[in-house]
């Protein structure tokens, strides 16, 4: 590539983002672009974003087509100067990488590098590329019938043999495993943008975890009195206004997470395994017009109620406006999702993996009860639903954690600590 050319790279939008999908090319090949101009849109694990042109010039090559995926920092397009030529052709024949199906490879017959290419006294003819592929894939050339001139074995013969062997072995493998593989490849099929990303994440979450949900209600009688007293005795209306139910539930969760660090954790079986965190980075699930996003309040354990209130307002508003910074899209250690405004009492939240816990908040419920004088009164209760990964957390400690959240809500002055 000429040094004047500039690659358009797949951006890294968050700490845990490893790849992205190109949703739409706003600019087409051959069209002029200006530095900073939006050329395409991409979807990451939790966010849809627009990618800017890195330089002035012509979009001479689209490397990653719409709907295809690329790793972060990998080129997805090329911008060049008018009249500049670049090499965009791929070599006609390249050595294929070994297949990932190790069971298939083990059943193919290995060939020794020193073994003469002779079968039944006859010399075996093979192209140089075919020999390289055979050695790479551990395939015995004596088992292959060549289709080239003079029965010469070609690259196509190697690939056909491998495909045949793979198909034969695959037919004897577990049907359930095969169907799971097909389902994994089709996750999000027919969807685009954020909806496709959400579909993949939700399916992956359910496939890789053992999710269990438990439920409990919190009595809000003391909480309601607490709010009234704060408003009556404090002249700072901003502090009084920060005592919303969402903020106080969030504070209760943060305090409980500090006491139960196993709930403030990630599980990544193929990477870091199970790890707990001292810092609480709280995710607040936020409904958007085209899906769901989980903006993150970093170091929420260091915030007062007033600071927490401001942070929740700031990140959720930015998420709805599409202006949320990339570092505030990923990295949460525990998530809260609220369906109270929808009138839902209990529900089953799906884990925001790799997190091991998520709390669902339902709609306030009226309860008829007797007071100390024997009179019937109406009290308010808050339904809570805790989903956790049963691979890592047993039911008893999960119930204790949920009970601790309820305790903080029912003793609201503890939230000021």
């Amino acid at each position: 590539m000429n040094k004047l050319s500039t690659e358009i790279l797949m951006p890294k939008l968050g700490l845990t983002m490893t790849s992205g999908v190109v949703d739409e090319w706003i600019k087409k090949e051959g069209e002029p672009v200006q530095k900073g101009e939006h050329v395409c849109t991409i979807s990451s694990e939790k966010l849809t974003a627009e990618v800017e042109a890195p330089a002035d010039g012509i979009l001479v090559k689209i490397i990653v087509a719409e709907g295809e995926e690329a790793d972060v920092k990998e080129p997805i397009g090329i911008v060049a100067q008018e009249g500049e030529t670049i090499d965009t052709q791929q070599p006609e024949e390249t050595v294929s990488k070994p297949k990932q199906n190790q069971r298939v490879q083990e059943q193919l017959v290995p060939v020794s590098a020193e073994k003469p290419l002779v079968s039944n006294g006859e010399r075996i003819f093979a192209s140089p590329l075919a020999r390289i592929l055979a050695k790479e894939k551990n395939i015995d050339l004596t088992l292959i019938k060549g289709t080239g001139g003079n029965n010469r074995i070609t690259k196509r013969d190697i690939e056909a043999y491998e495909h045949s062997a793979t198909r034969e072995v695959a037919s004897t493998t577990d049907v359930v495993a095969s169907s799971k593989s097909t389902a994994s490849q089709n996750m999000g099929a027919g969807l685009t943008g954020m909806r496709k990303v959400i579909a993949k994440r939700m399916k992956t979450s359910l496939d890789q975890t053992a999710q269990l949900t438990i439920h409990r209600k919190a009595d809000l009688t003391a909480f309601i009195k607490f709010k009234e007293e704060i408003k009556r005795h404090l002249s700072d209306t901003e502090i009084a206004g920060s005592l919303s139910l969402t903020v106080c539930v969030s504070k209760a969760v943060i305090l409980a997470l500090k006491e139960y660090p196993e709930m403030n954790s990630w599980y990544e079986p193929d990477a870091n395994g199970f790890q707990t965190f001292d810092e609480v980075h709280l995710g607040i699930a936020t409904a958007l017009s085209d899906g769901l996003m989980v903006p993150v309040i970093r170091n929420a354990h260091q915030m007062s109620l007033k600071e927490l209130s401001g942070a929740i307002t700031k990140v959720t508003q930015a998420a709805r406006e599409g202006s949320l910074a990339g570092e505030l899209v990923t990295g949460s250690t525990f998530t809260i999702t609220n369906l109270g405004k929808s009138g839902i009492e209990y529900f089953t939240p799906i884990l925001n993996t790799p997190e091991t816990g998520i709390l669902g908040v339902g709609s306030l419920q009226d309860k008829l009860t007797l007071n100390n004088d024997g009179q019937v009164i109406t009290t308010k209760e808050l339904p809570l639903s805790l989903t956790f990964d049963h691979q890592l957390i047993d039911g008893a400690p999960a119930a204790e954690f949920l009970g601790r959240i309820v305790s903080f809500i029912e003793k609201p002055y503890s939230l000021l600590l």
Side-chain angles (χ1 to χ4, degrees):
M1 185 190 304
N2 189 295
K3 66 179 181 179
L4 295 178
S5 302
T6 305
E7 293 177 336
I8 303 172
L9 303 179
M10 175 63 70
K12 185 177 180 66
L13 302 180
L15 296 176
T16 61
M17 177 180 172
T18 59
S19 63
V21 176
V22 176
D23 291 327
E24 178 187 7
W25 279 99
I26 301 172
K27 292 290 186 178
K28 307 303 179 185
E29 282 191 4
E31 291 186 351
V33 298
Q34 294 181 345
K35 182 177 180 180
E37 185 178 11
H38 294 153
V39 293
C40 69
T41 60
I42 62 103
S43 294
S44 68
E45 293 181 344
K46 302 179 181 179
L47 184 66
T48 297
E50 294 176 320
V51 179
E52 299 179 350
D56 294 339
I58 306 294
L59 180 60
V60 295
K61 181 66 176 178
I62 291 177
I63 299 175
V64 180
E66 293 179 354
E68 294 184 355
E69 189 173 7
D71 292 338
V72 295
K73 304 302 181 183
E74 287 294 318
I76 59 176
I78 300 174
V79 174
Q81 302 303 310
E82 187 173 359
E84 180 184 358
T85 59
I86 61 171
D87 180 14
T88 61
Q89 299 297 321
Q90 299 292 328
E92 291 185 2
E93 289 189 338
T94 58
V95 178
S96 302
K97 293 182 180 179
K99 299 294 182 181
Q100 293 181 352
N101 191 334
Q102 188 63 33
R103 274 186 293 181
V104 174
Q105 291 183 354
E106 291 172 353
Q107 297 202 18
L108 300 181
V109 182
V111 58
S112 171
E114 289 76 23
K115 180 179 178 180
L117 296 178
V118 177
S119 178
N120 297 325
E122 296 182 0
R123 183 179 177 83
I124 297 176
F125 295 93
S127 69
L129 180 57
R131 296 187 187 191
I132 294 174
L133 289 177
K135 183 177 180 181
E136 181 77 25
K137 299 173 182 294
N138 294 325
I139 297 175
D140 188 345
L141 288 174
T142 64
L143 301 177
I144 300 178
K145 181 179 180 180
T147 59
N150 197 26
N151 295 325
R152 181 185 180 93
I153 298 173
T154 65
K155 171 191 173 185
R156 182 176 298 178
D157 297 325
I158 299 291
E159 293 175 340
Y161 174 81
E162 184 186 30
H163 175 71
S164 176
T166 302
R167 183 173 54 189
E168 182 177 352
V169 174
S171 66
T172 64
T173 58
D174 187 15
V175 175
V176 175
S178 176
S179 63
K180 284 184 177 180
S181 176
T182 301
S184 176
Q185 294 175 2
N186 292 332
M187 284 191 298
L191 303 175
T192 59
M194 184 176 290
R195 194 71 261 163
K196 183 173 184 178
V197 175
I198 292 173
K200 286 185 176 181
R201 285 186 57 80
M202 295 297 99
K203 188 64 170 62
T204 299
S205 175
L206 291 173
D207 285 345
Q208 295 183 350
T209 59
Q211 301 193 23
L212 177 65
T213 304
I214 57 178
H215 309 280
R216 183 166 174 175
K217 288 181 179 178
D219 188 335
L220 296 183
T221 302
F223 175 78
I224 294 172
K225 292 181 179 179
F226 166 73
K227 286 188 64 174
E228 292 174 349
E229 290 176 1
I230 293 295
K231 289 181 179 179
R232 186 167 58 250
H233 293 96
L234 289 182
S235 58
D236 190 334
T237 56
E238 187 176 355
I239 293 179
S242 68
L243 298 178
S244 70
L245 187 56
T246 297
V247 175
C248 291
V249 169
S250 299
K251 185 66 174 181
V253 167
I254 294 167
L255 294 175
L257 287 172
K258 296 300 292 182
E259 295 183 10
Y260 292 83
E262 64 272 21
M263 294 298 304
N264 190 44
S265 59
W266 284 2
Y267 181 49
E268 300 173 289
D270 298 328
N272 300 315
F274 181 65
Q275 54 180 332
T276 60
F277 299 92
D278 294 328
E279 304 83 6
V280 177
H281 304 312
L282 191 64
I284 303 293
T286 303
L288 308 179
S289 59
D290 56 348
L292 185 71
M293 185 179 293
V294 185
V296 182
I297 301 171
R298 306 194 68 81
N299 297 310
H301 61 290
Q302 298 177 346
M303 296 181 179
S304 65
L305 281 172
K306 181 178 179 180
E307 292 170 334
L308 186 60
S309 174
I312 292 175
T313 300
K314 183 177 180 180
V315 298
T316 54
Q317 183 176 343
R320 294 188 179 99
E321 295 174 349
S323 59
L324 191 66
E327 65 270 16
L328 297 181
V329 179
T330 60
S332 54
T333 57
F334 188 92
T335 294
I336 297 175
T337 179
N338 192 332
L339 289 180
K341 292 183 178 180
S342 302
I344 300 299
E345 183 175 0
Y346 290 119
F347 58 105
T348 306
I350 296 178
L351 288 176
N352 182 27
T353 52
E355 298 168 27
T356 57
I358 181 172
L359 182 72
V361 181
S363 177
L364 290 180
Q365 304 294 309
D366 289 332
K367 178 183 178 181
L368 296 178
T369 187
L370 296 176
N371 62 13
N372 295 332
D373 298 326
Q375 296 175 326
V376 177
I377 60 172
T378 301
T379 60
K380 295 286 187 181
E381 291 185 324
L382 180 67
L384 300 173
S385 304
L386 174 68
T387 296
F388 59 96
D389 190 346
H390 212 338
Q391 296 178 107
L392 314 166
I393 311 295
D394 290 331
E400 291 176 4
F401 171 72
L402 181 57
R404 196 68 180 115
I405 294 174
V406 171
S407 176
F408 281 121
I409 295 173
E410 293 182 342
K411 300 176 181 177
Y413 279 97
S414 62
L415 301 176
L416 298 177
L417 298 179

